Amino acid sequence: MNHLRRSLQLLVLALTSTLAPPLASASSTSPGAPPETATSASAEATPKPASSERNYALYVPPKLEAANQPSPLVVVLHGSNQRGADLVAAWCDLANEQGFLVLGPDSLEPRKWNLQDDGPGFINTVIDAVRAQHPVDSRRIYLFGYSAGGLYALTLGLVESEYFAGIASYAALWKQESDQAALQLLRRKKLPVKLIIGEADALYTREAQRSMEQALRKQRVAVSSTVIEGQGHSYADVSSEINRLAWAYLKDQKLPDEPVYIDYGLDDQSSAAPPAQ
């Protein structure tokens, strides 16, 4: 465990400046507030002493409430200057149609995700809070992220590759070698990853896409990419299309065994998160 903790501490240093994209991406508009059936609650998982509460948004389709059967869970990670509720709202229609839960935690700082403040312990605590109240198919817990959230979904999914069944991201690509640091902690062979990018995204090039695919495949990651012609960096105007592309890939992914969560001991997540109210 000391070796794992040290490895993640080094990873934090390597990724310090990589989980927040340039300010240009922060101007993307939000898809709007979730419907009334989406709820938010405090997660008393405190990543550092200065923080006492963490919020998340949760949407449970009415038909799942009635069925009371284990269902897939999609954890959505928001972009810069957004909140979890913004992405949850964009996923509600598809969740109703396809039958899965949507969970959107808030990063500690709205503009970025931080591997220490928003680490695996925090995300795991929030997921456990949802599982305590709603039946979740533990082998079908997925990650999706947009922009800064997409970069973090890739990082989090790699360091917890035996916990998440699959990862999908939109408008998020590695730009430098240090971005790949999370690959050092990859444990699962052929981890499924879906990359969705806009052909006209000013922040990323096709060369960056090919370079990232090569790096992932070299480490046994099963990567699939979709490039949307004429699309830029914005998510709000094409969220329905993006979500359908992501779900079409994720829905067929399932862990071969029960999920294994690795506690790296980097953050203090000893307090249980209360259920959504």
Side-chain angles (χ1 to χ4, degrees):
M1 182 56 66
N2 287 337
H3 170 70
L4 288 175
R5 183 178 302 181
R6 177 59 178 165
S7 296
L8 195 59
Q9 287 172 336
L10 292 173
L11 179 58
V12 170
L13 293 175
L15 294 174
T16 297
S17 62
T18 65
L19 294 178
L23 282 171
S25 66
S27 62
S28 299
T29 58
S30 163
E36 292 181 1
T37 44
T39 58
S40 63
S42 298
E44 293 177 0
T46 310
K48 61 182 182 181
S51 176
S52 59
E53 289 187 340
R54 302 296 296 275
N55 294 327
Y56 64 90
L58 173 67
Y59 181 70
V60 182
K63 67 179 180 181
L64 297 188
E65 290 274 21
N68 197 35
Q69 295 179 345
S71 304
L73 171 65
V74 179
V75 181
V76 295
L77 305 181
H78 61 80
S80 298
N81 295 333
Q82 292 182 322
R83 287 300 187 186
D86 296 326
L87 255 65
V88 170
W91 278 82
C92 286
D93 288 345
L94 188 59
N96 283 328
E97 176 188 317
Q98 296 291 316
F100 57 86
L101 292 78
V102 188
L103 169 63
D106 290 350
S107 61
L108 186 64
E109 297 183 39
R111 184 178 173 264
K112 64 181 181 179
W113 292 87
N114 184 294
L115 191 56
Q116 186 162 7
D117 296 333
D118 311 307
F122 163 60
I123 301 297
N124 179 252
T125 298
V126 177
I127 291 174
D128 281 350
V130 173
R131 294 177 66 183
Q133 296 296 313
H134 305 280
V136 171
D137 186 342
S138 61
R139 296 189 184 184
R140 298 182 69 196
I141 301 176
Y142 308 111
L143 281 172
F144 170 82
Y146 161 53
S147 193
L151 290 171
Y152 190 54
L154 292 162
T155 297
L156 183 63
L158 290 171
V159 301
E160 295 290 352
S161 60
E162 295 177 307
Y163 185 79
F164 296 103
I167 310 163
S169 68
Y170 172 60
L173 292 175
W174 293 337
K175 284 189 170 184
Q176 50 196 14
E177 190 173 344
S178 62
D179 296 350
Q180 306 174 19
L183 283 170
Q184 300 171 19
L185 296 176
L186 177 67
R187 294 165 57 92
R188 179 181 167 200
K189 294 181 179 179
K190 297 184 178 179
L191 172 70
V193 172
K194 177 70 173 181
L195 303 177
I196 307 171
I197 61 171
E199 176 267 335
D201 192 331
L203 297 178
Y204 301 109
T205 65
R206 296 297 290 272
E207 182 180 354
Q209 174 204 351
R210 289 189 288 269
S211 176
M212 183 170 178
E213 289 178 352
Q214 183 179 17
L216 288 169
R217 292 193 175 107
K218 187 176 180 180
Q219 296 298 323
R220 307 173 301 180
V221 173
V223 60
S224 170
S225 294
T226 296
V227 178
I228 302 177
E229 296 299 323
Q231 176 61 27
H233 191 81
S234 176
Y235 170 75
D237 56 346
V238 289
S239 60
S240 179
E241 179 182 359
I242 300 301
N243 298 347
R244 287 188 178 277
L245 284 170
W247 178 246
Y249 179 81
L250 294 174
K251 68 178 183 179
D252 295 325
Q253 312 302 331
K254 186 174 183 178
L255 288 175
D257 302 297
E258 285 301 305
V260 176
Y261 165 67
I262 303 299
D263 182 0
Y264 294 92
L266 184 65
D267 44 10
D268 180 11
Q269 306 294 349
S270 57
S271 299
Q277 301 296 321

PDB file of all heavy atoms in Angstrom, residues 61-77:
ATOM      1  N   PRO A  61     -34.391   7.588 -13.039  1.00  0.00           N
ATOM      2  CA  PRO A  61     -35.628   7.531 -13.829  1.00  0.00           C
ATOM      3  C   PRO A  61     -36.762   6.888 -13.034  1.00  0.00           C
ATOM      4  O   PRO A  61     -36.540   5.918 -12.306  1.00  0.00           O
ATOM      5  CB  PRO A  61     -35.229   6.661 -15.033  1.00  0.00           C
ATOM      6  CG  PRO A  61     -33.753   6.872 -15.169  1.00  0.00           C
ATOM      7  CD  PRO A  61     -33.250   6.980 -13.757  1.00  0.00           C
ATOM      8  N   PRO A  62     -37.977   7.422 -13.160  1.00  0.00           N
ATOM      9  CA  PRO A  62     -39.117   6.883 -12.410  1.00  0.00           C
ATOM     10  C   PRO A  62     -39.309   5.381 -12.586  1.00  0.00           C
ATOM     11  O   PRO A  62     -39.662   4.679 -11.639  1.00  0.00           O
ATOM     12  CB  PRO A  62     -40.307   7.668 -12.974  1.00  0.00           C
ATOM     13  CG  PRO A  62     -39.706   8.964 -13.429  1.00  0.00           C
ATOM     14  CD  PRO A  62     -38.347   8.610 -13.946  1.00  0.00           C
ATOM     15  N   LYS A  63     -39.057   4.871 -13.796  1.00  0.00           N
ATOM     16  CA  LYS A  63     -39.268   3.441 -14.022  1.00  0.00           C
ATOM     17  C   LYS A  63     -38.272   2.589 -13.235  1.00  0.00           C
ATOM     18  O   LYS A  63     -38.575   1.438 -12.893  1.00  0.00           O
ATOM     19  CB  LYS A  63     -39.207   3.110 -15.505  1.00  0.00           C
ATOM     20  CG  LYS A  63     -37.857   3.273 -16.178  1.00  0.00           C
ATOM     21  CD  LYS A  63     -37.940   2.883 -17.649  1.00  0.00           C
ATOM     22  CE  LYS A  63     -36.601   3.039 -18.362  1.00  0.00           C
ATOM     23  NZ  LYS A  63     -36.705   2.676 -19.802  1.00  0.00           N
ATOM     24  N   LEU A  64     -37.096   3.146 -12.924  1.00  0.00           N
ATOM     25  CA  LEU A  64     -36.131   2.409 -12.118  1.00  0.00           C
ATOM     26  C   LEU A  64     -36.542   2.418 -10.650  1.00  0.00           C
ATOM     27  O   LEU A  64     -36.329   1.440  -9.929  1.00  0.00           O
ATOM     28  CB  LEU A  64     -34.729   3.001 -12.281  1.00  0.00           C
ATOM     29  CG  LEU A  64     -34.115   2.934 -13.680  1.00  0.00           C
ATOM     30  CD1 LEU A  64     -32.662   3.379 -13.647  1.00  0.00           C
ATOM     31  CD2 LEU A  64     -34.223   1.526 -14.255  1.00  0.00           C
ATOM     32  N   GLU A  65     -37.120   3.537 -10.209  1.00  0.00           N
ATOM     33  CA  GLU A  65     -37.630   3.614  -8.843  1.00  0.00           C
ATOM     34  C   GLU A  65     -38.682   2.529  -8.631  1.00  0.00           C
ATOM     35  O   GLU A  65     -38.723   1.851  -7.602  1.00  0.00           O
ATOM     36  CB  GLU A  65     -38.250   4.995  -8.586  1.00  0.00           C
ATOM     37  CG  GLU A  65     -37.250   6.130  -8.506  1.00  0.00           C
ATOM     38  CD  GLU A  65     -36.682   6.298  -7.101  1.00  0.00           C
ATOM     39  OE1 GLU A  65     -36.746   5.327  -6.315  1.00  0.00           O
ATOM     40  OE2 GLU A  65     -36.189   7.390  -6.790  1.00  0.00           O
ATOM     41  N   ALA A  66     -39.548   2.346  -9.616  1.00  0.00           N
ATOM     42  CA  ALA A  66     -40.630   1.372  -9.491  1.00  0.00           C
ATOM     43  C   ALA A  66     -40.121  -0.059  -9.602  1.00  0.00           C
ATOM     44  O   ALA A  66     -40.579  -0.955  -8.883  1.00  0.00           O
ATOM     45  CB  ALA A  66     -41.685   1.638 -10.564  1.00  0.00           C
ATOM     46  N   ALA A  67     -39.147  -0.291 -10.488  1.00  0.00           N
ATOM     47  CA  ALA A  67     -38.656  -1.653 -10.714  1.00  0.00           C
ATOM     48  C   ALA A  67     -37.819  -2.175  -9.558  1.00  0.00           C
ATOM     49  O   ALA A  67     -37.825  -3.357  -9.243  1.00  0.00           O
ATOM     50  CB  ALA A  67     -37.848  -1.699 -12.010  1.00  0.00           C
ATOM     51  N   ASN A  68     -37.034  -1.275  -8.932  1.00  0.00           N
ATOM     52  CA  ASN A  68     -36.177  -1.641  -7.802  1.00  0.00           C
ATOM     53  C   ASN A  68     -35.244  -2.803  -8.153  1.00  0.00           C
ATOM     54  O   ASN A  68     -35.058  -3.739  -7.374  1.00  0.00           O
ATOM     55  CB  ASN A  68     -37.024  -1.993  -6.574  1.00  0.00           C
ATOM     56  CG  ASN A  68     -36.190  -1.978  -5.296  1.00  0.00           C
ATOM     57  OD1 ASN A  68     -35.275  -1.168  -5.157  1.00  0.00           O
ATOM     58  ND2 ASN A  68     -36.505  -2.870  -4.366  1.00  0.00           N
ATOM     59  N   GLN A  69     -34.656  -2.740  -9.336  1.00  0.00           N
ATOM     60  CA  GLN A  69     -33.700  -3.742  -9.786  1.00  0.00           C
ATOM     61  C   GLN A  69     -32.357  -3.076 -10.063  1.00  0.00           C
ATOM     62  O   GLN A  69     -32.307  -1.901 -10.431  1.00  0.00           O
ATOM     63  CB  GLN A  69     -34.206  -4.428 -11.055  1.00  0.00           C
ATOM     64  CG  GLN A  69     -35.471  -5.237 -10.858  1.00  0.00           C
ATOM     65  CD  GLN A  69     -35.947  -5.882 -12.147  1.00  0.00           C
ATOM     66  OE1 GLN A  69     -35.516  -5.528 -13.236  1.00  0.00           O
ATOM     67  NE2 GLN A  69     -36.856  -6.839 -12.020  1.00  0.00           N
ATOM     68  N   PRO A  70     -31.245  -3.812  -9.886  1.00  0.00           N
ATOM     69  CA  PRO A  70     -29.923  -3.228 -10.143  1.00  0.00           C
ATOM     70  C   PRO A  70     -29.824  -2.657 -11.553  1.00  0.00           C
ATOM     71  O   PRO A  70     -30.170  -3.326 -12.520  1.00  0.00           O
ATOM     72  CB  PRO A  70     -28.973  -4.411  -9.952  1.00  0.00           C
ATOM     73  CG  PRO A  70     -29.701  -5.324  -9.028  1.00  0.00           C
ATOM     74  CD  PRO A  70     -31.153  -5.203  -9.405  1.00  0.00           C
ATOM     75  N   SER A  71     -29.362  -1.416 -11.649  1.00  0.00           N
ATOM     76  CA  SER A  71     -29.272  -0.724 -12.930  1.00  0.00           C
ATOM     77  C   SER A  71     -27.882  -0.124 -13.110  1.00  0.00           C
ATOM     78  O   SER A  71     -27.175   0.140 -12.129  1.00  0.00           O
ATOM     79  CB  SER A  71     -30.322   0.394 -13.002  1.00  0.00           C
ATOM     80  OG  SER A  71     -31.620  -0.117 -12.787  1.00  0.00           O
ATOM     81  N   PRO A  72     -27.476   0.112 -14.350  1.00  0.00           N
ATOM     82  CA  PRO A  72     -26.186   0.766 -14.592  1.00  0.00           C
ATOM     83  C   PRO A  72     -26.162   2.180 -14.009  1.00  0.00           C
ATOM     84  O   PRO A  72     -27.202   2.820 -13.856  1.00  0.00           O
ATOM     85  CB  PRO A  72     -26.093   0.814 -16.125  1.00  0.00           C
ATOM     86  CG  PRO A  72     -27.056  -0.218 -16.600  1.00  0.00           C
ATOM     87  CD  PRO A  72     -28.160  -0.249 -15.601  1.00  0.00           C
ATOM     88  N   LEU A  73     -24.966   2.648 -13.704  1.00  0.00           N
ATOM     89  CA  LEU A  73     -24.766   3.997 -13.177  1.00  0.00           C
ATOM     90  C   LEU A  73     -23.719   4.706 -14.024  1.00  0.00           C
ATOM     91  O   LEU A  73     -22.612   4.190 -14.225  1.00  0.00           O
ATOM     92  CB  LEU A  73     -24.286   3.935 -11.721  1.00  0.00           C
ATOM     93  CG  LEU A  73     -23.828   5.249 -11.079  1.00  0.00           C
ATOM     94  CD1 LEU A  73     -24.993   6.224 -10.947  1.00  0.00           C
ATOM     95  CD2 LEU A  73     -23.193   4.998  -9.713  1.00  0.00           C
ATOM     96  N   VAL A  74     -24.065   5.885 -14.535  1.00  0.00           N
ATOM     97  CA  VAL A  74     -23.121   6.709 -15.293  1.00  0.00           C
ATOM     98  C   VAL A  74     -22.718   7.888 -14.411  1.00  0.00           C
ATOM     99  O   VAL A  74     -23.563   8.704 -14.023  1.00  0.00           O
ATOM    100  CB  VAL A  74     -23.725   7.220 -16.614  1.00  0.00           C
ATOM    101  CG1 VAL A  74     -22.719   8.104 -17.360  1.00  0.00           C
ATOM    102  CG2 VAL A  74     -24.150   6.047 -17.498  1.00  0.00           C
ATOM    103  N   VAL A  75     -21.445   7.964 -14.075  1.00  0.00           N
ATOM    104  CA  VAL A  75     -20.901   9.076 -13.299  1.00  0.00           C
ATOM    105  C   VAL A  75     -20.383  10.115 -14.276  1.00  0.00           C
ATOM    106  O   VAL A  75     -19.479   9.829 -15.076  1.00  0.00           O
ATOM    107  CB  VAL A  75     -19.764   8.611 -12.369  1.00  0.00           C
ATOM    108  CG1 VAL A  75     -19.226   9.780 -11.545  1.00  0.00           C
ATOM    109  CG2 VAL A  75     -20.246   7.488 -11.450  1.00  0.00           C
ATOM    110  N   VAL A  76     -20.975  11.314 -14.274  1.00  0.00           N
ATOM    111  CA  VAL A  76     -20.617  12.348 -15.247  1.00  0.00           C
ATOM    112  C   VAL A  76     -19.808  13.446 -14.555  1.00  0.00           C
ATOM    113  O   VAL A  76     -20.180  13.933 -13.492  1.00  0.00           O
ATOM    114  CB  VAL A  76     -21.875  12.931 -15.929  1.00  0.00           C
ATOM    115  CG1 VAL A  76     -22.559  11.858 -16.751  1.00  0.00           C
ATOM    116  CG2 VAL A  76     -22.861  13.509 -14.931  1.00  0.00           C
ATOM    117  N   LEU A  77     -18.699  13.814 -15.161  1.00  0.00           N
ATOM    118  CA  LEU A  77     -17.784  14.808 -14.598  1.00  0.00           C
ATOM    119  C   LEU A  77     -17.818  16.070 -15.458  1.00  0.00           C
ATOM    120  O   LEU A  77     -17.510  16.029 -16.655  1.00  0.00           O
ATOM    121  CB  LEU A  77     -16.364  14.239 -14.525  1.00  0.00           C
ATOM    122  CG  LEU A  77     -16.229  12.903 -13.765  1.00  0.00           C
ATOM    123  CD1 LEU A  77     -14.783  12.447 -13.744  1.00  0.00           C
ATOM    124  CD2 LEU A  77     -16.779  13.019 -12.343  1.00  0.00           C
TER     125      LEU A  77
END
